[in-house]
Amino acid sequence: MADGTADLLLGRRRHDRPATPRRPRRGTGTGPLAAVAAVFTVAQLILVRPVLGLGWDEIVYVSQVTSHHPAAFFSAPRSRGVSLLVAPVASWSSSTVLLRLYLAVLSGLALYGALRAWRGLFPTRVLVTGGAFFASLWITLFYGPQAMPNHWVAVGALVTVGCFLRRLENPSARLAPWGVAGGAALMAVMRPTDAVWVSVPLVVLALARRHGRLLLVLAAGLAAGAADWIVAAFVSYGGLGERLAEASRIQGGLGWHLAVDDQLRSLGGRALCRPCTGSMPHPVITLWWFALPLLALLALYVAVRAGQLTRTLLPLACASTAAFPYLFMIGYAAPRFLQPAYALLAFPVAAALWHLARRPAGGWRPVLAPLVALCVAGHLAVQLTVLVYTADRTLDSRRDWTRTARELHRLGVDPPCLLTGHQAIPIGYYTGCSSGATAGNNANTTVGAILRTADRVPVATLVGPGGTAPGYARSWPVHRVGDLRVHVAPPPGERTGAPAPPARD
């Protein structure tokens, strides 16, 4: 008002006043994004806890770079990205707590970087809400501090798609192509096939709009990330097709498999649903999953009306292609498989929630705003409940592996040693032993090699409940460790072909 009065008194118009250049404020809008990432990091450390032992898949990845444990068998579908990620800590320290702290901080920093890649594409409030939605999923919190690839594919997908959009809308955004290449390389080094599925809509759009340079940058990032996996395919499997075929076999044969119901069953806290049987979780746990496509459709409607369709349609398309193989091409489920899809859905879903809560002209909707807030609060409560349940159950199961390892040491199975049979990979890691299998997805040895090893170091075969010991171990002394039967190879001079004595506790 004072400025307007002065203009009238001086007899000059507003547009005649000399422009006063303003220095752009650096970091505008980044504070809330940093807060989301910081809360995400702290929540991991409090709710998942750094004392959580390594899981089966983590052991495979970590054991490739640690000098404290023998390397576990590395099967065809796996990529070396996670091993490279944990190497700065795992290569010199055997501390699981230190590794969890490192991964929690790193995942928080990565989330912050991914959110920043979308600045200017959506309002800050949408980015904060979308980031909080993705970060508060029990799946994201549970796997953030773990040595697993899916969270990093999700982060790479967010960076790739966000920088791709920035370059499309602003050809002068010189750093955006580097973000596209870096995000694509991150996805590909973690899971090459996932990176390809995420990138399909980007390739289609680049071709449709004749953005050859952007397409080249994307392809270069994918090739750089997948280079090790591709080279290993020719060195160890006889070619790329052969490795893909072996990966398909290990995953049960990729093809038409309706796994939507399997994914729903896994939402109750099942880390791996294979075979995926049993009842569905309570409807309250799965309600958010059914709300996602409805909110995505609403986000498309809002984007069309605002004339910003590409910003919303592209991440939704990439989320759809990322989820497709895990919903329709694989015969089992794990909730972490869909993390990239959830990350890409986050911002469109957040935009839809804000549309429901606020009028376009400003101001809260008196009925819908409280309802949206109530639904969001309920969703958060459900996610935290499932997270605590899953973390506690997982912690107990991995402590069982520690107790089994102590019992094996008491039986004389000390490093260097070899374990075969039921859960040989995780229990072998906790015991400090190598692991071997003569058949199945992790086959890496023969019966003859196992018997020759038993002439040099302690060897034991683990038999699970209801299982049968392999022929080469049936005459070995049997011990009961928890619900396992442990057949320990006797010294070479004491070995006979007689039947094994009854199991001893």
Side-chain angles (χ1 to χ4, degrees), residues 11-249:
R12 66 187 180 191
R13 296 178 183 176
R14 186 181 300 269
H15 64 266
D16 291 333
R17 287 180 294 173
T20 303
R22 293 184 180 182
R23 295 182 59 187
R25 291 182 299 168
R26 292 191 175 187
T28 302
T30 60
L33 305 183
V36 170
V39 171
F40 171 59
T41 301
V42 173
Q44 294 175 67
L45 299 176
I46 294 175
L47 298 173
V48 181
R49 287 168 287 175
V51 295
L52 179 69
L54 297 181
W56 187 315
D57 292 290
E58 290 185 287
I59 286 168
V60 174
Y61 292 120
V62 172
S63 67
Q64 307 304 311
V65 295
T66 181
S67 59
H68 311 283
H69 298 84
F73 178 70
F74 204 81
S75 60
R78 301 187 187 276
S79 185
R80 302 279 174 178
V82 175
S83 299
L84 294 174
L85 184 75
V86 301
V89 171
S91 60
W92 58 271
S93 173
S94 61
S95 171
T96 301
V97 172
L98 182 61
L99 183 61
R100 296 279 184 238
L101 290 170
Y102 163 74
L103 289 173
V105 172
L106 199 61
S107 63
L109 292 173
L111 178 63
Y112 173 68
L115 295 177
R116 284 203 60 164
W118 286 77
R119 287 183 63 212
L121 298 172
F122 287 96
T124 299
R125 66 172 183 268
V126 171
L127 298 182
V128 169
T129 305
F133 162 74
F134 175 65
S136 63
L137 293 176
W138 76 262
I139 306 159
T140 310
L141 285 165
F142 185 66
Y143 285 107
Q146 296 198 43
M148 299 291 279
N150 309 88
H151 175 79
W152 299 97
V153 176
V155 168
L158 278 177
V159 173
T160 304
V161 177
C163 291
F164 193 95
L165 281 168
R166 292 173 74 92
R167 182 66 175 188
L168 280 180
E169 297 190 4
N170 182 12
S172 64
R174 291 178 295 176
L175 294 179
W178 292 98
V180 173
L186 177 61
M187 289 193 294
V189 77
M190 293 296 170
R191 290 187 72 90
T193 50
D194 284 13
V196 171
W197 282 102
V198 170
S199 301
V200 169
L202 304 180
V203 172
V204 172
L205 184 58
L207 290 173
R209 295 195 178 182
R210 298 181 180 179
H211 283 281
R213 184 173 298 179
L214 202 51
L215 182 60
L216 183 62
V217 167
L218 175 64
L222 293 174
D228 177 79
W229 198 89
I230 294 171
V231 170
F234 287 95
V235 172
S236 303
Y237 295 90
L240 187 58
E242 287 77 4
R243 183 167 192 177
L244 289 171
E246 176 65 8
S248 174
R249 184 194 66 79

Side-chain angles (χ1 to χ4, degrees), residues 328-347:
F328 303 107
M329 294 183 64
I330 195 168
Y332 63 98
R336 59 186 172 86
F337 290 165
L338 297 182
Q339 277 187 275
Y342 298 144
L344 292 165
L345 286 169
F347 300 137

Side-chain angles (χ1 to χ4, degrees), residues 278-348:
S279 59
M280 289 285 182
H282 193 280
V284 171
I285 294 176
T286 59
L287 186 60
W288 68 275
W289 214 67
F290 293 103
L292 286 181
L294 300 178
L295 290 171
L297 290 175
L298 177 59
L300 281 176
Y301 167 76
V302 174
V304 170
R305 293 195 60 184
Q308 297 177 343
L309 180 60
T310 304
R311 295 183 183 182
T312 298
L313 182 58
L314 188 61
L316 291 180
C318 291
S320 301
T321 55
F324 182 82
Y326 294 113
L327 294 177
F328 303 107
M329 294 183 64
I330 195 168
Y332 63 98
R336 59 186 172 86
F337 290 165
L338 297 182
Q339 277 187 275
Y342 298 144
L344 292 165
L345 286 169
F347 300 137

